Amino acid sequence: MSAVTNALKLSAENVVLGKGFVQAASEFKQKNGNEQNALVIGPTGEVGREVVKHLLASDAFAKVTVFTRRPIEIEGADASKLVQKPVDFENKEQLERDFAGHSHAFSCLGTTRAKSGKDGFYKIDHDYALNAANACKKANVENYSICSSTGANKDSMFFYTRVKGEVDDEVLKMGFKQASVFRPAMIECEREERRLTEKLAMYALPVLKMVLPKSVGARSSTIAWAMVYNSIKPAERESNIFGNADILTMFEKNQ
């Protein structure tokens, strides 16, 4: 099957940003001019693709570089700002060279044990994620945002949340000018591939949200909105961890 057939088709048009976001983007651009560039790792996943759309819609960055093996076809006024590059997460030196010249990085890299197996999951969500973060640090990227998971804890008895927690801890200790970890609960989206447990959970979601409105999940677009908005507004702390409720509150307050 050709690469064109497999291309991910996106549109940066009609992305809802909100008043707070638009103001932050305007102030960010006034302060930095047209000199800030962003890169996205894992841009074809459910959150990553939304990050790409919000970065382009924000008009805050001169260039948005995506590192992916799957080509992206995007429509919108700022589609010309999108640069696509192939990626090899095992080639650390090349990653550092490719990441140089970018001020902001967004990591949405991830897979599942069901899709990649236990070893494959660890290689992608741990090894590749840290290879990318370390390369960003060496390339002098100042602002690093990563999409993690609720319950992430390096001391967790559960493999998935332990791996996520290990990566989060390492990223926060790397010394970025600003490092932000986002830990959403269930990611609400229309997945190209959805497991049976996810399908069942989606059916139960409306009821669960009535009981725990800010703890159960967040839309992929809302998570991406929060990641981009947080990266362009003035930083209050060097390191931040945002849970599901924090993500939703940030979004609601700035519409």
Side-chain angles (χ1 to χ4, degrees):
M1 191 174 290
S2 67
V4 174
T5 303
N6 285 328
L8 174 64
K9 297 183 179 181
L10 300 176
S11 174
E13 298 177 342
N14 302 319
V15 175
V16 179
L17 299 177
K19 294 180 180 179
F21 189 114
V22 172
Q23 181 178 346
S26 176
E27 293 173 354
F28 178 86
K29 196 167 184 178
Q30 288 177 11
K31 178 181 178 181
N32 298 289
N34 205 36
E35 300 177 355
Q36 304 293 290
N37 297 316
L39 68 88
V40 184
I41 304 155
T44 60
E46 303 302 336
V47 175
R49 66 184 64 181
E50 292 292 337
V51 168
V52 173
K53 289 162 60 175
H54 281 74
L55 285 170
L56 292 173
S58 74
D59 194 34
F61 296 90
K63 178 176 69 175
V64 177
T65 307
V66 295
F67 293 87
T68 177
R69 296 172 182 172
R70 181 183 182 185
I72 296 175
E73 296 177 2
I74 191 158
E75 298 177 347
D78 292 311
S80 61
K81 293 183 178 181
L82 186 71
V83 177
Q84 303 187 53
K85 288 189 175 184
V87 63
D88 178 359
F89 289 108
E90 295 184 2
N91 190 335
K92 300 177 184 179
E93 292 75 16
Q94 186 62 49
L95 287 176
E96 185 178 341
R97 288 192 292 270
D98 286 341
F99 292 170
H102 295 84
S103 56
H104 291 59
F106 300 84
S107 176
C108 304
L109 189 65
T111 186
T112 63
R113 288 181 64 175
K115 184 175 182 179
S116 302
K118 184 175 182 179
D119 292 342
F121 167 79
Y122 189 84
K123 176 179 283 189
I124 294 171
D125 281 60
H126 182 276
D127 296 347
Y128 287 0
L130 288 180
N131 284 355
N134 277 304
C136 282
K137 179 57 183 173
K138 291 180 179 179
N140 296 316
V141 171
E142 294 185 344
N143 190 303
Y144 197 87
S145 302
I146 184 169
C147 184
S148 180
S149 173
T150 188
N153 186 327
K154 65 181 180 62
D155 298 316
S156 174
M157 63 182 291
F158 300 107
F159 180 71
Y160 179 85
T161 49
R162 183 170 71 249
V163 170
K164 292 292 187 181
E166 289 172 353
V167 172
D168 294 353
D169 277 19
E170 288 298 317
V171 167
L172 293 174
K173 292 189 294 187
M174 285 182 185
F176 288 102
K177 186 174 181 180
Q178 182 177 350
S180 301
V181 174
F182 293 80
R183 293 175 173 172
M186 183 182 296
I187 299 175
E188 301 171 40
C189 59
E190 293 299 325
R191 292 186 185 273
E192 294 179 3
E193 300 175 357
R194 189 181 293 282
R195 292 165 291 175
L196 177 60
T197 53
E198 291 176 327
K199 291 180 180 179
L200 294 174
M202 289 301 293
Y203 285 124
L205 195 61
V207 176
L208 294 173
K209 277 193 165 185
M210 292 177 63
V211 181
L212 301 167
K214 290 193 174 184
S215 301
V216 180
R219 294 193 61 80
S220 56
S221 57
T222 302
I223 299 164
W225 182 99
M227 292 179 72
V228 178
Y229 170 75
N230 180 71
S231 75
I232 60 177
K233 71 178 183 63
E236 298 177 0
R237 296 189 301 273
E238 291 182 1
S239 299
N240 300 279
I241 298 177
F242 299 100
N244 200 81
D246 301 319
I247 293 168
L248 294 177
T249 298
M250 189 189 307
F251 177 79
E252 292 167 0
K253 284 185 175 181
N254 290 280
Q255 295 307 298

